[in-house]
Amino acid sequence: MSAPTRVAVAVETPQHAGLGDLLDYESTLTLAPGTLVRAPLGRREVPGLVWHRASARAAEAGQLRPLVEALVSLPPLDGAWRRLVDFAAAYYQRSTGELALSVLPPELRKLDERQLARRIARLQREAQEAAAARANLPGVAGAPALSEEQAAALAEFGADPRPTLLHGVTGSGKTEVYLNAAARALEAGRQALVLVPEINLTPQLEARFAARFPGRCLASLHSALTPAQRLRHWLLAHLGLADLILGTRLAVFASLPRLGLVVVDEEHDPSFKQQEGARYSARDLAVWRARDAKIPVLLGSATPSLETWQRVQEGRYRQLVLSARIGGGALPRVRVFDMAQVPKQAGAPAPALAPPLLQALRDRLERGEQSLLLLNRRGYAPVLECGACGWKSGCPHCSAWRVFHKADRSLRCHHCGFSERVPRACPECGNLDIAPVGRGTEKLEEQLGVLLPGARIARIDADSTRVRGALEARLAAVHAGEVDVLVGTQMVAKGHDFRRITLVAAVNPDAALFANDFRAPERLFALLMQAAGRAGRSAEQAARSEMWIQTGHPRHALFAALAAGDFAAFAASQLAERRSAGLPPFSHLALLRADAKSAAVASAFLAEAAELAGEEPAITVYAPVPPAVAKVADVERMQMLVESVSRPALQRFLGAWLPQLHGLRARHRGLLRWAVDVDPLTI
Ligand code: ADP
Ligand code: ZN
Ligand code: ZN
């Protein structure tokens, strides 16, 4: 037996434990960095990864605790993967071990060395058999001849080391470009990683990749997999057996020994940002990872994020454009309808649909075409109100109204889930006349039933698709032509390839025009473009396709840019505003959030944190403010914005400042937790 050696291990300790990033242990084995181990920590045993051989500062061997077990049958996680984790941990201000272990499949920690060795042997055997079977299959199947634009994009892609934005509307053939780029990577013996924003979008993409590359091993990584599936797919990627890896944001951390291409589809989508724990942006990490590995990265979107767009303007990213829809389709003609023109009846609420829009819906019905109505608010009505005393259906646990759901006659809070049966009378004054105010998808569906007798109406939102399989069933009905009018939230706007829709209407998009969040217009524009993309997929349909916008602000620049189909104009005006206001991408933000039993405690913590920050040139620390919904589930929340024009300065500042806050916590009784969000998407 050889003398024990020292190793530095990334173990799963939360940063606030104050134990530092890596802990030293001893081992009688010579362990390569990246080896999965089990290490003693206090009285527990925790999983860890050998990060590197211990530094000279470490205590003498013999004083260190020995590792419990090393899982040497699992090939070590390679240097590229560890660099990614090191970067992400430092950038998003988490401990290395916490981040590293949180992005590995949870199942991995449950297996011992023998079980793991057996799993790996089985996967390798299966892969060998599959590879033998593939020898008789074509490498690529069913690839159409590329359009001129697609061919030009592909020729240029890869000829330039910069990250590439592939800018093209829905149906312009972006996915076809991804498939061709992937074919190139596979041919060179490399793996291709494709990230999509939503789990719902993975099955159709998987089917397309599987059909194009017959017999190739495809791994998918997203949170809807069972733990066993997730382990299996992760191992396929890590062992280099899978050639194609498709997944949602967590897939950016897949271990990929032969990575040759990264694709981020719908790169602007907020779902790429993780909203708890390490709040990483999978899109940004994908770009970092590709640059580190010196491989090409392709960001696809019809409405790129303004961060990406600005980098294109600065020449740091390159842009490839697909300007036309495949098959001669075009985006629908946009009709911005001024709701002020709808005659008001005294005492009656405004109608859901302007009479000309209703007529347009009837025309579609007569012609046997489909319509899509977008209303980004689920439930029947956002609030109930008493006409006598002014009582409103507030949530007792949140600073928010409870939403009226008529289907199950409940008042439900969309923030904490608190739900009760609708009271028969006002809880304050006993008045029987309590009425819904405003309109959600449920009510719109009901009203459409009255306005369009005989029409087949379907609703797609988080409520109507809660049951497993419900979404697929509804989408299938739409595709089969069994639905005339589809009502839904943003869920329906994304990705689905509807063939018969010739009318899309945004029923009430105005709230986002004046929201506090400076990214609200950007998100609205993306949503409306995406919704517009559901119509007019063929030339023949495009001629009849329309998108209606019902608004009280018909002259708003956002709608003008949408009507002109001019993303560049919209982006330029938004970026000009951002530049003059000193907002991203012209500055860099971090948000310190504090949750407490009272707002006073949360504020006091943030105030003391601000004091510790001191006066830093290049750094601005703003006063604590409550977020849009201050109280959720009886927890009071406050937040404090930190801003700098220099990303490195902000990083240096956070790295020095945040460790001091760990000690602060004990002094603020009632403080529940704090967290930092670097590059927050909502403020
Ligand atoms: P996007 O990803 O931009 O929405 P897709 O790549 O899905 O666009 O293309 C839209 C439709 O056009 C798909 O049905 C696709 O199969 C088809 N398509 C794409 N490129 C071609 C091509 N070069 N020739 C024929 N059909 C194509
Ligand atoms: Zn009342
Ligand atoms: Zn609530």
Side-chain angles (χ1 to χ4, degrees):
M1 203 173 193
S2 57
T5 55
R6 287 169 288 165
V7 287
V9 178
V11 289
E12 195 176 42
T13 55
Q15 196 155 46
H16 62 72
L19 288 171
D21 240 12
L22 303 174
L23 299 180
D24 287 345
Y25 290 91
E26 63 171 46
S27 168
T28 51
L29 303 167
T30 306
L31 297 176
T35 304
L36 185 63
V37 297
R38 251 177 271 283
L41 185 72
R43 282 187 221 158
R44 293 182 303 142
E45 247 176 47
V46 294
L49 285 166
V50 175
W51 216 249
H52 48 69
R53 306 218 159 70
S55 66
R57 288 181 290 105
E60 283 304 309
Q63 297 180 331
L64 295 173
R65 299 179 74 179
L67 292 173
V68 180
E69 184 181 24
L71 294 106
V72 291
S73 59
L74 186 74
L77 287 134
D78 63 14
W81 187 85
R82 297 199 309 280
R83 281 196 302 281
L84 174 69
V85 169
D86 268 333
F87 169 77
Y91 188 83
Y92 295 105
Q93 307 289 332
R94 312 299 295 194
S95 79
T96 309
E98 181 196 15
L99 180 63
L101 274 305
S102 74
V103 299
L104 293 178
E107 227 22 39
L108 206 50
R109 65 185 60 195
K110 296 196 189 141
L111 303 181
D112 64 24
E113 173 65 12
R114 278 188 38 217
Q115 294 167 316
L116 195 56
R118 268 208 306 270
R119 292 276 171 103
I120 291 173
R122 194 169 69 215
L123 285 177
Q124 275 162 340
R125 207 167 48 238
E126 285 171 9
Q128 264 173 11
E129 288 163 11
R134 196 175 70 223
N136 307 318
L137 294 170
V140 171
L146 294 176
S147 72
E148 245 169 69
E149 277 189 326
Q150 285 171 325
L154 265 161
E156 272 192 56
F157 179 63
D160 183 325
R162 288 176 295 173
T164 301
L165 167 66
L166 184 61
H167 187 202
V169 298
T170 309
S172 61
K174 296 186 296 296
T175 309
E176 194 52 50
V177 174
Y178 308 156
L179 286 161
N180 279 274
R184 224 189 256 170
L186 299 197
E187 219 162 276
R190 313 290 289 271
Q191 295 172 302
L193 171 66
V194 182
L195 301 178
V196 292
E198 284 197 29
I199 297 169
N200 294 335
L201 302 179
T202 53
Q204 59 194 72
L205 197 67
E206 260 178 61
R208 244 172 118 176
F209 273 83
R212 179 62 56 87
F213 304 107
R216 287 278 189 174
C217 177
L218 199 153
S220 51
L221 286 168
H222 53 74
S223 56
L225 298 179
T226 65
Q229 286 170 328
R230 179 148 165 217
L231 175 65
R232 181 190 156 83
H233 288 239
W234 184 87
L235 281 173
L236 287 172
H238 173 63
L239 298 169
L241 301 174
D243 299 311
L244 296 157
I245 296 84
L246 265 50
T248 51
R249 61 176 179 261
L250 61 86
V252 78
F253 284 109
S255 163
L256 299 161
R258 303 185 279 115
L259 184 60
L261 170 72
V262 181
V263 174
V264 184
D265 191 24
E266 309 287 357
E267 68 88 29
H268 65 279
D269 198 293
S271 309
F272 285 120
K273 184 88 157 74
Q274 167 79 17
Q275 292 296 353
E276 57 195 33
R279 293 163 198 245
Y280 61 86
S281 157
R283 189 260 327 274
D284 293 349
L285 288 180
V287 172
W288 190 92
R289 188 172 184 174
R291 182 172 297 159
D292 179 67
K294 302 190 174 56
I295 57 169
V297 57
L298 197 49
L299 308 174
S301 180
T303 49
S305 68
L306 292 179
E307 280 78 3
T308 295
W309 189 252
Q310 177 60 19
R311 285 181 191 137
V312 170
Q313 308 314 306
E314 291 167 1
R316 290 156 65 197
Y317 289 8
R318 186 240 332 237
Q319 181 182 208
L320 301 174
V321 180
L322 299 179
S323 60
R325 294 186 111 175
I326 301 280
L331 285 183
R333 190 161 19 97
V334 176
R335 298 192 53 172
V336 180
F337 187 85
D338 183 1
M339 286 303 269
Q341 289 179 11
V342 178
K344 286 199 182 59
Q345 278 156 3
L353 304 174
L357 174 55
L358 197 57
Q359 188 53 47
L361 281 165
R362 292 199 174 109
D363 293 345
R364 293 329 184 266
L365 272 176
E366 257 164 48
R367 295 203 297 258
E369 296 166 3
Q370 295 175 316
S371 303
L372 168 64
L373 297 186
L374 181 69
L375 179 60
N376 226 353
R377 174 172 260 165
R378 65 191 169 88
Y380 189 85
V383 61
L384 282 187
E385 192 176 305
C386 167
C389 76
W391 169 86
K392 283 184 172 183
S393 57
C395 175
H397 307 290
C398 303
S399 41
W401 306 124
R402 271 184 299 163
V403 176
F404 173 38
H405 290 260
K406 196 171 179 182
D408 57 2
R409 299 212 57 84
S410 69
L411 277 181
R412 204 183 310 152
C413 175
H414 287 186
H415 296 276
C416 72
F418 179 68
S419 178
E420 279 177 333
R421 267 190 80 78
V422 176
R424 288 190 327 117
C426 171
E428 294 284 324
C429 74
N431 171 26
L432 287 174
D433 180 26
I434 48 177
V437 181
R439 180 183 300 114
T441 46
E442 231 184 288
K443 182 168 181 181
L444 182 58
E445 182 188 22
E446 181 186 279
Q447 291 179 321
L448 282 168
V450 176
L451 294 167
L452 303 170
R456 297 163 300 171
I457 298 161
R459 173 164 61 92
I460 291 188
D461 57 26
D463 297 312
S464 77
T465 57
R466 214 174 287 281
V467 181
R468 219 187 164 87
L471 176 63
E472 291 73 15
R474 271 163 208 249
L475 290 175
V478 178
H479 287 298
E482 292 157 13
V483 170
D484 300 314
V485 183
L486 181 60
V487 177
T489 56
Q490 58 180 348
M491 270 181 96
V492 295
K494 290 190 182 178
H496 308 291
D497 186 2
F498 300 125
R499 304 252 164 205
R500 307 168 198 234
I501 290 182
T502 61
L503 174 67
V504 175
V507 173
N508 182 13
D510 283 353
L513 295 178
F514 306 102
N516 282 327
D517 191 330
F518 68 88
R519 283 194 179 86
E522 180 182 351
R523 269 188 227 118
L524 176 62
F525 192 90
L527 176 64
L528 295 179
M529 274 291 275
Q530 216 151 19
R534 302 305 120 206
R537 298 212 80 162
S538 72
E540 181 257 330
Q541 275 181 5
R544 280 175 282 123
S545 291
E546 291 179 343
M547 172 160 203
W548 285 64
I549 310 279
Q550 294 197 129
T551 176
H553 306 272
R555 270 166 296 282
H556 199 284
L558 189 152
F559 297 138
L562 187 80
D566 194 346
F567 176 79
F570 170 72
S573 78
Q574 284 289 307
L575 284 168
E577 275 179 35
R578 300 258 189 108
R579 190 190 292 273
S580 66
L583 288 166
F586 304 102
S587 69
H588 303 279
L589 304 178
L591 201 57
L592 184 63
R593 304 177 193 270
D595 292 353
K597 289 178 185 147
S598 78
V601 170
S603 297
F605 169 80
L606 292 178
E608 203 169 336
E611 236 164 75
L612 281 176
E615 290 284 320
E616 282 279 334
I619 302 284
T620 311
V621 179
Y622 289 91
V625 290
V629 179
K631 184 172 83 166
V632 171
D634 295 315
V635 172
E636 294 284 354
R637 312 186 301 171
M638 293 292 281
Q639 59 187 32
M640 189 163 82
L641 198 59
V642 182
E643 179 206 86
S644 176
V645 288
S646 154
R647 197 191 288 275
L650 181 62
Q651 282 286 313
R652 270 196 308 278
F653 169 76
L654 294 176
W657 180 47
L658 295 174
Q660 301 177 53
L661 306 190
H662 296 298
L664 219 58
R665 191 171 159 187
R667 274 196 272 150
H668 295 274
R669 291 194 55 189
L671 183 74
L672 301 170
R673 61 193 155 246
W674 63 267
V676 67
D677 187 350
V678 180
D679 303 332
L681 269 193
T682 47
I683 64 168

